[in-house]
């Protein structure tokens, strides 16, 4: 089973993945967590270029680098883990590129989706948990943490555009997307995530080694 977790910066993905990992460990489920961009040797180098080095990348280069990192992690980590029966949890995946580069950077949804299909093939999440928070809430959380990654210094309007991109994806992929209200307390968000995954987890439990 392949689960991706999506949302704007500061929506609480990292916090929730930690809680989910603890829960899955208690259940004895074998899982692999991947983070985009990164998660492979090449991917971690690409992450440095994208988030920490001042290369003044144009939007097109940024998109191509996210895609390159994704192509690596799909082949080096995600597919082998899924083939061995593990649950894979992705902290961001293909929908991030549509929302951030396609909509946020105005490169266009179609071109990004075309590239995604070339890069991931059939390796598409079974379920995408979209943690939704308004951009101002997310930004005030980030400010508290004093995070200053390149993309995180973007404006409130940029993140609202990205959020609109996710909303559009949710409508277009209503079977795959599950909306989680990220404004709630951490424990309640975790509870909602557990509920959303419970049926899938129960169904596949006997297959997990
Ligand atoms: N990006 C892209 O543009 N295109 C792509 O294709 C891909 C990515 C794959 C990755 O950065 C960047 O790459 C990202 C999108 C872009 N933008 N930037 N920069 P990253 O991996 O460094 O960061 P992130 O994925 O955006 O996540 P984050 O910054 O670590 O935030 P988060 O994981 O969503 O949130 P968190 O760390 O769990 O929580 C943030 C704070 O809020 C923290 O202090 C928590 O304690 C607090 N928090 C969490 N939950 C709650 C609740 N429920 N209530 C109150 N406070 C909370």
């Amino acid at each position: 089973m392949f689960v991706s977790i999506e949302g704007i910066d500061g929506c609480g993905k990292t916090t929730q993945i930690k809680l989910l990992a603890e829960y899955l460990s208690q259940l004895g489920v074998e899982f692999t967590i991947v983070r985009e961009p990164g998660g492979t040797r090449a991917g971690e180098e690409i992450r440095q270029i994208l988030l920490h080095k001042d290369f003044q990348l144009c939007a097109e280069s940024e998109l191509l680098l996210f895609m390159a990192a994704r192509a690596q992690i799909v082949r080096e980590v995600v597919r082998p883990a899924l083939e061995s029966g593990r649950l894979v949890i992705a902290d961001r995946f293909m929908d991030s590129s549509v929302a951030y580069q396609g909509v946020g950077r105005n490169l266009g949804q179609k071109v990004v989706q075309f590239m995604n299909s070339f890069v991931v093939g059939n390796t598409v999440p079974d379920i995408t948990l979209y943690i939704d928070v308004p951009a101002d809430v997310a930004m005030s959380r980030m400010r508290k943490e004093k995070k200053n990654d390149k993309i995180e210094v973007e404006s409130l309007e940029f993140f609202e555009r990205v959020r609109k991109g996710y909303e559009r994806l949710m409508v277009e992929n209503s079977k795959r997307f599950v909306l989680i209200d990220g404004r709630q307390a951490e424990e309640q968000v975790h509870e909602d995530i557990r509920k959303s995954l419970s049926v899938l987890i129960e169904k596949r439990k006997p297959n997990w080694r």
Side-chain angles (χ1 to χ4, degrees):
M1 182 166 87
F2 185 15
V3 178
S4 63
I5 307 202
E6 295 278 356
I8 61 173
D9 308 52
C11 70
K13 289 179 291 81
T14 311
T15 307
Q16 291 304 322
I17 286 172
K18 223 175 126 217
L19 293 171
L20 183 59
E22 283 165 16
Y23 171 64
L24 292 170
S25 299
Q26 283 164 15
L27 289 181
V29 170
E30 291 194 349
F31 60 92
T32 297
I33 294 173
V34 293
R35 174 186 70 158
E36 278 211 29
T40 63
R41 235 182 111 197
E44 288 299 326
E45 292 289 321
I46 293 171
R47 182 180 179 90
Q48 291 300 315
I49 298 173
L50 278 165
L51 301 185
H52 304 295
K53 291 188 178 154
D54 191 17
F55 286 119
Q56 311 288 332
L57 293 175
C58 62
E60 289 79 0
S61 301
E62 189 183 82
L63 172 64
L64 289 164
L65 286 171
F66 278 119
M67 289 291 170
R70 182 163 307 134
Q72 286 301 128
I73 203 165
V74 163
R75 285 152 188 83
E76 284 185 36
V77 185
V78 177
R79 283 183 189 159
L82 290 172
E83 278 158 18
S84 71
R86 293 174 76 86
L87 164 66
V88 175
I89 300 163
D91 184 347
R92 297 194 178 283
F93 197 57
M94 55 191 221
D95 300 303
S96 284
S97 298
V98 179
Y100 279 80
Q101 280 66 51
V103 182
R105 299 264 191 248
N106 293 313
L107 289 181
Q109 197 173 326
K110 279 209 173 120
V111 70
V112 179
Q113 281 171 327
F114 175 76
M115 290 170 80
N116 266 336
S117 63
F118 173 66
V119 165
V120 309
N122 292 330
T123 311
V124 172
D126 298 293
I127 181 167
T128 297
L129 303 171
Y130 168 53
I131 305 179
D132 181 48
V133 291
D136 58 340
V137 173
M139 283 187 96
S140 73
R141 288 182 189 171
M142 301 307 291
R143 248 179 247 120
K144 266 192 218 150
E145 283 209 333
K146 296 197 176 61
K147 282 208 171 188
N148 60 351
D149 282 346
K150 264 176 73 179
I151 299 177
E152 280 160 3
V153 297
E154 291 290 348
S155 64
L156 193 66
E157 294 80 59
F158 174 76
F159 287 111
E160 276 302 352
R161 245 189 347 267
V162 173
R163 190 173 176 226
K164 289 264 173 309
Y166 276 122
E167 281 165 7
R168 210 183 293 166
L169 279 167
M170 207 167 48
V171 172
E172 290 168 2
N173 301 276
S174 56
K175 282 201 180 131
R176 174 165 63 88
F177 266 69
V178 175
L179 174 66
I180 305 284
D181 183 355
R183 292 167 304 180
Q184 306 174 98
E186 285 174 18
E187 299 71 29
Q188 188 55 51
V189 178
H190 174 58
E191 187 58 35
D192 287 0
I193 288 177
R194 274 170 59 162
K195 271 193 205 142
S196 310
L197 295 180
S198 63
V199 176
L200 285 170
I201 287 176
E202 282 309 315
K203 237 197 296 189
R204 287 159 191 264
K205 227 165 154 185
N207 299 334
W208 283 333
R209 279 169 280 142

